[in-house]
Amino acid sequence: MSILLNSESRVLVQGMTGSEGTFHTQQMIEFGTNVVAGVSPGKGGSQHLGRPVFDSVAEAVISTGATVSGVFVPPAFAADAIMEAAAAGLQLVVCITELIPVNDMVRARAYLASRGARLVGPNCPGLMSPGERSKVGIIPNQNGRPGPVGVVSRSGTLTYEIMQSLAAAGYGQSTAVGIGGDPVLGLSFSDVLELFASDPETELVVMAGEIGGSDEERAAELIGRGYPKPVVGFISGRTAPPGKRMGHAGAIISGNTGSAASKVAALERAGVEVADTIEQIVERVTARLRRG
Amino acid sequence: MKLLEHQAKAQFRSEGIECPMGRVARTPLEAESAARELGEVVVKAQVPIGGRGKAGGVKVARTPEEARDAASQILQMEIRGYRVPAVLLEELLDIGQELYLGVTLDRDRRRLAVLLSFAGGMEIEDVAERTPEKIAKLWPDPFSGPLPFEIRQLTLNALASAQGEQVLERSRLLGMMVPLVQRLYQLCQRLDATLCEINPLVITRSGQLIAGDGKVEVDQNAEYRHQDLVRELGGDAEAASSGDDQLEVEARRRGLTYVHLGGDIGVIGNGAGLVMNTLDLVKQQGGSPANFLDIGGGAKAEVVRQALEMVLLDPEVRGIFVNIFGGITRGDEVAKGLIQARDELQIKLPLVVRMTGTREEEGRRLLEEAGIIPAVSAPEAARRVVEMVAGAGR
C-alpha cells in the first residue's frame, strides 16, 4: 500500500516531448511507473519513448485510461495544463514546473477544487511509492526503497537527503511526497498527513517543513487533535533572517508569520518530536520504530 | 517588481480609479512649473518603500517657489538607502476620512484577499496586529471576482468596527465601494500583482473616493507578460533598487538566486531547502553564513563557476562551503565546475565540498585528484569549514 500513487496508477506526462519531460519520463519508466501516454499539443499521433503522444489530455484519457498526470510544461502554460488535466477527469495532477505566476495558480487551484481533483505542487519534486514501483516527478530513483516511513516535505533536495539517510539506516518509504515550495500549493501538509493516517503500510511520518506561510502550524493543529501515528518533524531555515526570500517563492518570514521558531513550537505543542538535523531525524525514526 | 507611486496611480487611472491631479518632476524647476498648474500641492518622494513621510520625503508647498525648494531637498535625499529619482506633486485633498483598501495574496486561503478598514492611513500591519477586528476581509472566487453583494457585505463588516462620524451616507458608500473594489481587483489580476493597495483611500468632504497613495507589486514570475511596465520603469528601476543590497542586485543581474547574510562563510548548494539547511548547519557549528546561494536543479559546470565568482565578490568571505545533493544535478559536472573555477579565480580560501547522489564517486575522484578534499556528511563538512575559517583568522 501507499498513498496517492500505486502500481495501478496509469500515468500520462504533459510536456513529455520536451527535454526535461523526456529525461524524467525515461527515469519514471526505468523506476517501473506505468507511463501510458504523453501529451504535447500539435504532436498528437506520434510516438515518444515508446508511448503514444496525444494533442490533448482528454484524447489521451479516452485512448489509454490514464488516471494521473505529471506536468512538465513551461511556466507560462503550466496552469492551463493543470486545469486541462482536471477537466479530463484525472484524479491526481503532479506539477513539477517552477516559476508559475502566482495568480495563474490561484485560478488553477480554484478550478481543481471545483472538479474534486488533487494537485501536488507546483515547484515540487513530485512523489514516489517505492513498494509500488511508481513515481511521478523527479525524485532520483536510487533514493527509493520500500518501507514503513511516510515522507512529506516542501523541498526537493532535502527530501532526497532525508530519503537517502533513512535508507542508509535501513528504513524505506511507503510514499514520499514533495508538496512544493510555492506560496499557492495544491496538497498541504495536513492533506498528506490525513492520507498517511489511513494508509496501513505507513507506520510513521517524517514531515519536513521550512520557513514561510503557516501550513506547518495548521498541520500541528491537526496532529494536536489526535493523530494515529508518530510524526517526526524538521524545519529548515531556522537561521534565516526575516524579510529575505530564501530561494523558494514561499520561503519568507514576513511580520510574525512563518518563522521557524513558531513552527517548531507549534509542532512540539502538538507532541511532535522535532529534529534539529537530518541525522537526528534518523535517530528519532529509529527510536520510534524500535519502540514499536 | 514594485511600482513607484506615480506608476501605480497611472495604472489606477487606467482602470477608472480616481487619483488626485498630479505631475511627476525630476528637477526642482519641473516641480515649480507643475505647482504653477496645480496650486497648493503636496510634494512626495518616489521611493519603493514605506516610511517616507517620517523620513521627511513628503512636504506641503503653498507656492510654486516652496514646491521648487521642497523638490530640491527631497531629490537629494536618500530614504532608507534608496535614491529619489523623482517627486510626485499632487493637489491637496480636502480629507474627510481615511480608509484602507487592499487586494493581496493570502497564501493560507490560496486566493487573493480584499481587505477593507476604516483605520486607514496607518500601517495596515500595525492595525492587523493590534486590532485585527478592524479589518474586514473577502476572498472572491478567482474566476468571478468580487460580486456586488459580497463587496456590500465587506463594507458593512468594516463599518461595524468603524468609529466616529461617517462622511458618506451608508447607501452612497455602499454604492461607491462596489465599482472601486471591482476595479482594484481587476487591476490586480491584469497586472499579475500580488499586492494592489490604496492607503489611504480618501473620502473627501465633498464625498468623493480618491486614492491618496498607491502601492503595486507585480509577481516576479509574471514579469515576462509586462515588458511594457518594465520598459516604463526604465531609469527609475535602477533607482528603485538603489537601496537594495548591492551584492543581491549584482546577483539578480547575473540571474543567480542569492541572498546576502553578512557572515564570513560563503554557502552554495542545490535546492532552496537544502541550502537553508546548510546555513542552519553552519550556524549550529558556531559559524556565520555570508550568503544563501541556490544553483538549482541540473546545474552545469558553468553555473557552478559563476556561483563561486558571485560568492567571492563579497569581501567578507573567508571560506566556502559547497553542499551538493545530486539528483538531476550530476556530481562530476559540479566537480568540473569547481576545479575550473578554483583555478581560474585562483581561490586560496578554504573550500570544503560535500557531495552525494548521482555520480558522486566520479565527482569525488575528480575533486581529490585536483587537491580538493570532499566530505561525505554535511554536518562534518560544516564542522570542517567553520574550523578552517576560525583557524585562518588566528
Side-chain angles (χ1 to χ4, degrees):
Chain A
M1 280 294 285
S2 58
I3 63 166
L4 296 165
L5 196 67
N6 58 38
S7 56
E8 308 280 298
S9 303
R10 297 171 69 80
V11 178
L12 69 77
V13 178
Q14 291 172 266
M16 181 168 81
T17 56
S19 63
E20 294 287 317
T22 301
F23 176 76
H24 291 293
T25 304
Q26 254 164 351
Q27 296 287 310
M28 283 158 58
I29 293 168
E30 274 175 32
F31 191 70
T33 312
N34 185 14
V35 177
V36 296
V39 174
S40 291
K43 295 192 175 149
S46 60
Q47 291 269 321
H48 191 67
L49 305 176
R51 272 47 178 191
V53 177
F54 297 87
D55 286 320
S56 73
V57 178
E59 287 173 17
V61 170
I62 290 166
S63 299
T64 66
T67 56
V68 175
S69 172
V71 178
F72 285 87
V73 309
F77 314 104
D80 185 57
I82 292 169
M83 292 189 281
E84 184 186 356
L90 297 183
Q91 303 139 13
L92 178 64
V93 186
V94 183
C95 183
I96 308 307
T97 311
E98 63 176 336
L99 302 174
I100 303 176
V102 69
N103 279 316
D104 288 14
M105 276 315 302
V106 167
R107 285 185 287 273
R109 178 79 172 33
Y111 189 87
L112 257 70
S114 73
R115 303 267 162 166
R118 285 188 172 124
L119 171 68
V120 174
N123 187 13
C124 79
L127 72 167
M128 176 188 263
S129 299
E132 303 282 324
R133 306 308 298 162
S134 191
K135 83 158 181 179
V136 178
I138 62 176
I139 297 175
N141 291 356
Q142 69 267 25
N143 294 122
R145 176 186 174 134
V149 181
V151 177
V152 56
S153 163
R154 251 161 79 182
S155 138
T157 37
L158 206 54
T159 310
Y160 316 156
E161 181 106 66
I162 291 167
M163 290 170 76
Q164 191 183 62
S165 303
L166 286 171
Y171 302 105
Q173 313 91 33
S174 52
T175 301
V177 188
I179 60 172
D182 267 14
V184 173
L185 293 174
L187 294 188
S188 63
F189 278 120
S190 303
D191 296 330
V192 178
L193 280 169
E194 280 177 358
L195 293 167
F196 277 134
S198 48
D199 172 44
E201 195 196 340
T202 305
E203 292 172 28
L204 175 150
V205 180
V206 172
M207 171 184 154
E210 65 186 32
I211 54 161
S214 51
D215 250 17
E216 290 83 354
E217 284 87 338
R218 299 210 290 168
E221 282 169 29
L222 174 93
I223 297 165
R225 288 196 292 271
Y227 191 74
K229 296 172 185 184
V231 179
V232 174
F234 180 78
I235 303 292
S236 71
R238 290 180 178 221
T239 56
K244 297 270 193 183
R245 200 175 289 278
M246 297 304 227
H248 277 162
I252 185 167
I253 303 168
S254 44
N256 290 329
T257 59
S259 76
S262 120
K263 292 172 191 298
V264 171
L267 287 168
E268 283 179 344
R269 265 199 307 277
V272 174
E273 293 186 60
V274 182
D276 292 329
T277 61
I278 292 175
E279 291 169 328
Q280 260 189 33
I281 295 178
V282 177
E283 285 165 21
R284 307 236 148 138
V285 169
T286 306
R288 281 298 189 139
L289 290 180
R290 285 228 182 101
R291 243 180 271 163
Chain B
M1 170 172 57
K2 286 183 184 175
L3 303 191
L4 296 174
E5 180 191 6
H6 72 88
Q7 294 157 340
K9 283 181 166 168
Q11 296 298 325
F12 286 175
R13 280 196 196 90
S14 72
E15 206 62 52
I17 296 170
E18 215 168 324
C19 300
M21 290 228 294
R23 297 275 179 280
V24 178
R26 292 170 194 282
T27 64
L29 273 178
E30 280 177 22
E32 185 180 343
S33 75
R36 249 179 249 295
E37 270 178 67
L38 295 166
E40 288 186 355
V41 288
V42 57
V43 185
K44 301 199 268 186
Q46 298 298 285
V47 282
I49 194 154
R52 63 182 174 174
K54 280 185 204 128
V58 178
K59 292 184 197 301
V60 171
R62 303 283 166 193
T63 65
E65 291 71 30
E66 277 182 34
R68 183 194 59 210
D69 293 345
S72 160
Q73 283 173 30
I74 293 173
L75 286 167
Q76 289 172 48
M77 289 175 68
E78 203 182 77
I79 298 176
R80 293 170 66 186
Y82 289 88
R83 293 204 309 276
V84 183
V87 291
L88 175 63
L89 296 95
E90 286 185 337
E91 60 172 330
L92 285 182
L93 296 176
D94 189 11
I95 297 172
Q97 242 181 316
E98 293 187 319
L99 279 59
Y100 172 95
L101 176 64
V103 179
T104 185
L105 180 73
D106 181 336
R107 49 186 291 176
D108 282 341
R109 302 270 183 144
R110 275 104 155 127
R111 283 189 176 193
L112 290 174
V114 183
L115 279 61
L116 176 66
S117 173
F118 281 79
M122 295 168 61
E123 288 289 326
I124 197 68
E125 290 82 2
D126 293 343
V127 180
E129 198 173 313
R130 281 187 223 138
T131 49
E133 70 281 0
K134 288 192 175 168
I135 303 174
K137 294 183 184 175
L138 168 67
W139 294 271
D141 179 293
F143 290 97
S144 65
L147 300 169
F149 77 88
E150 292 176 326
I151 298 169
R152 289 195 301 273
Q153 189 61 56
L154 173 81
T155 309
L156 291 169
N157 293 348
L159 268 174
S161 64
Q163 283 160 352
E165 288 274 303
Q166 292 301 314
V167 172
L168 282 173
E169 278 175 38
R170 175 171 297 205
S171 64
R172 238 186 114 204
L173 179 67
L174 291 175
M176 290 170 82
M177 285 307 292
V178 169
L180 176 63
V181 171
Q182 286 183 325
R183 285 165 185 168
L184 194 65
Y185 190 89
Q186 165 63 27
L187 180 67
C188 203
Q189 292 216 319
R190 177 164 65 78
L191 293 181
D192 290 301
T194 49
L195 175 72
C196 278
E197 184 182 88
I198 305 176
N199 189 23
L201 170 63
V202 172
I203 306 181
T204 64
R205 291 194 188 283
S206 56
Q208 287 173 291
L209 278 179
I210 298 182
D213 194 357
K215 235 187 231 172
V216 171
E217 286 183 34
V218 176
D219 176 11
Q220 206 179 342
N221 289 354
E223 275 177 24
Y224 70 93
R225 289 177 186 152
H226 303 285
Q227 286 307 309
D228 50 337
L229 269 183
V230 174
R231 265 196 304 280
E232 210 177 284
L233 277 171
D236 284 356
E238 200 190 317
S241 64
S242 61
D244 297 357
D245 186 289
Q246 286 309 296
L247 285 166
E248 292 178 12
V249 172
E250 178 58 25
R252 276 204 293 275
R253 203 183 59 73
R254 294 168 181 236
L256 293 169
T257 310
Y258 171 98
V259 179
H260 184 214
L261 298 170
D264 56 10
I265 296 176
V267 174
I268 298 170
N270 63 330
L274 183 76
V275 182
M276 271 192 273
N277 183 44
T278 310
L279 303 178
D280 294 349
L281 287 172
V282 169
K283 268 267 172 75
Q284 280 163 3
Q285 295 298 333
S288 177
N291 67 276
F292 167 104
L293 204 173
D294 175 12
I295 58 170
K300 296 281 190 287
E302 173 58 18
V303 178
V304 177
R305 203 190 67 82
Q306 281 181 20
L308 271 173
E309 204 174 275
M310 182 66 226
V311 164
L312 289 168
L313 288 179
D314 179 355
E316 303 292 319
V317 166
R318 288 160 56 216
I320 301 171
F321 178 8
V322 181
N323 187 6
I324 300 293
F325 192 99
I328 335 173
T329 311
R330 288 164 34 182
D332 53 343
E333 275 287 338
V334 174
K336 278 182 209 155
L338 284 171
I339 295 161
Q340 187 197 344
R342 185 204 53 178
D343 295 346
E344 276 179 32
L345 305 171
Q346 301 185 352
I347 298 174
K348 302 269 186 326
L349 298 173
L351 175 61
V352 176
V353 179
R354 182 264 178 159
M355 186 182 284
T356 180
T358 309
R359 304 211 188 174
E360 60 178 66
E361 285 84 13
E362 291 100 310
R364 277 201 221 111
R365 187 177 49 76
L366 287 169
L367 289 175
E368 268 165 11
E369 282 169 12
I372 299 173
I373 310 296
V376 179
S377 109
E380 171 58 25
R383 198 153 37 236
R384 284 176 79 167
V385 74
V386 170
E387 274 170 18
M388 287 166 89
V389 167
R394 270 185 225 122

